[in-house]
Amino acid sequence: PLYLAAVASSAVPGLDPVTVEALPSLPYDRFDVAFVRDTEHRRWVVRAPRTATAGAELESAIAITALLARRVGFSVPGPKGFFDLGDSGRASVYPFLPGDPIDLGEVPDRRGLAGDIGRVMATVHNLDVALADEAGLPSYDADACRTRRLADLDRAATTGRVPTSLLTRWEQALEDTAVWRFAPTPVHGGLEGRHVLVTLGDDGATASIRGLVGWRRAKVADPADDFAAIVRDCAPETATAVARAYAHGRAVRPDRYLLDRAHLVAELGYVSALVEAMAAGY
């Protein structure tokens, strides 16, 4: 924690740390993260990548949030300074964003929030792909997205830990090319409730989105990637409300198989987690 506080002080002129609190750290984590409070009572977040791969993910996050900051009506992390860590890249320091994360399973308790989530997702997906390419975000067309999912499935199959019935089910779904015809868009890349920051209204029953965090997997890819947690965690009627607001907010009509792929992507999340965990020796 003290090291990360020093990083913050070095990265941002005038930041004089008073307290620091680090998030619990595990051996296979990609980042070290700490919250710093300075002498002016400002709160800061320090995020330091542990590997070159994590450093590249952080740079992607910085690139897309720079695009979003000038084009959206919600807050995104905006780095105010950097610190060179050598081979693993740069640590970034940015102001702490107000708001509390949500539990997607409880979204119906907050009137209007499902629609807000859909509109926020539409705003991100409406970004110009050319701008995202100029920012250096990774970019995958529809065929590349499907091929990458198949590659993950092949790696998972070699572990011997995936039931044959599941492998068959997923292979058949990935071979249905009609489902995999879509226009790639800029995506958050891993949208979950913990990334959506909201504040309650004065009545205590309504909530509005204040910010969106966790952009390290941002890229140009399948818009269904951002719906995976929605269809996995939300009640069916809530997922429908999110999708309806999203469709109204999109500049172009969403493809007909968007939610079908989202269900598949949600299931394949377990495959990706297995591959990553075994690669890390966990």
Side-chain angles (χ1 to χ4, degrees):
L2 294 178
Y3 172 75
L4 293 176
V7 165
S9 181
S10 298
V12 181
L15 194 166
D16 188 8
V18 174
T19 64
V20 60
E21 177 186 359
L23 289 183
S25 179
L26 297 171
Y28 49 86
D29 284 342
R30 286 186 169 92
F31 299 89
D32 290 307
V33 181
F35 303 101
V36 174
R37 188 182 297 275
D38 67 12
T39 53
E40 297 182 19
H41 305 290
R42 298 174 299 181
R43 296 184 68 188
W44 302 85
V45 181
V46 188
R47 185 175 296 273
R50 292 183 175 181
T51 66
T53 301
E57 290 180 352
L58 185 58
E59 294 300 326
S60 289
I62 293 167
I64 194 168
T65 53
L67 285 174
L68 286 166
R70 301 187 298 272
R71 295 173 171 84
V72 299
F74 53 87
S75 298
V76 294
K80 297 300 182 182
F82 302 94
F83 184 83
D84 187 3
L85 299 173
D87 292 341
S88 62
R90 301 186 297 174
S92 68
V93 183
Y94 51 91
F96 182 85
L97 297 182
D100 296 307
I102 62 173
D103 180 345
L104 289 174
E106 297 180 357
V107 166
D109 295 336
R110 305 299 181 190
R111 296 192 299 273
L113 187 54
D116 282 350
I117 294 172
R119 286 185 285 273
V120 164
M121 292 169 65
T123 298
V124 176
H125 295 182
N126 283 339
L127 282 175
D128 191 337
V129 170
L131 287 175
D133 289 339
E134 288 178 14
L137 291 181
S139 183
Y140 306 98
D141 61 19
D143 188 57
C145 289
R146 188 175 72 91
T147 300
R148 294 177 79 232
R149 298 288 182 188
L150 280 167
D152 276 351
L153 193 58
D154 288 342
R155 284 193 290 271
T158 63
T159 68
R161 296 174 180 265
V162 183
T164 302
S165 58
L166 276 180
L167 288 174
T168 301
R169 167 194 172 115
W170 288 330
E171 285 171 353
Q172 290 174 346
L174 287 166
E175 287 169 0
D176 187 354
T177 55
V179 176
W180 292 87
R181 293 173 184 162
F182 59 86
T185 68
V187 297
H188 179 279
L191 186 66
E192 296 185 4
R194 60 193 172 94
H195 300 133
V196 182
L197 303 180
V198 304
T199 54
L200 294 180
D202 294 336
D203 58 4
T206 57
S208 58
I209 296 177
R210 290 290 303 274
L212 216 57
V213 298
W215 294 91
R216 64 186 181 84
R217 293 184 177 176
K219 54 187 174 289
V220 174
D222 186 356
D225 288 359
D226 285 345
F227 272 92
I230 300 295
V231 300
R232 182 192 68 207
D233 299 339
C234 289
E237 60 272 18
T238 303
T240 299
V242 172
R244 185 180 297 115
Y246 171 82
H248 285 304
R250 280 302 311 273
V252 297
R253 184 182 179 87
D255 71 275
R256 61 181 295 189
Y257 293 110
L258 174 66
L259 294 186
D260 294 317
R261 284 198 315 282
H263 281 284
L264 178 60
V265 170
E267 291 186 7
L268 291 176
Y270 295 106
V271 174
S272 300
L274 172 63
V275 171
E276 291 177 4
M278 296 198 71
Y282 178 56

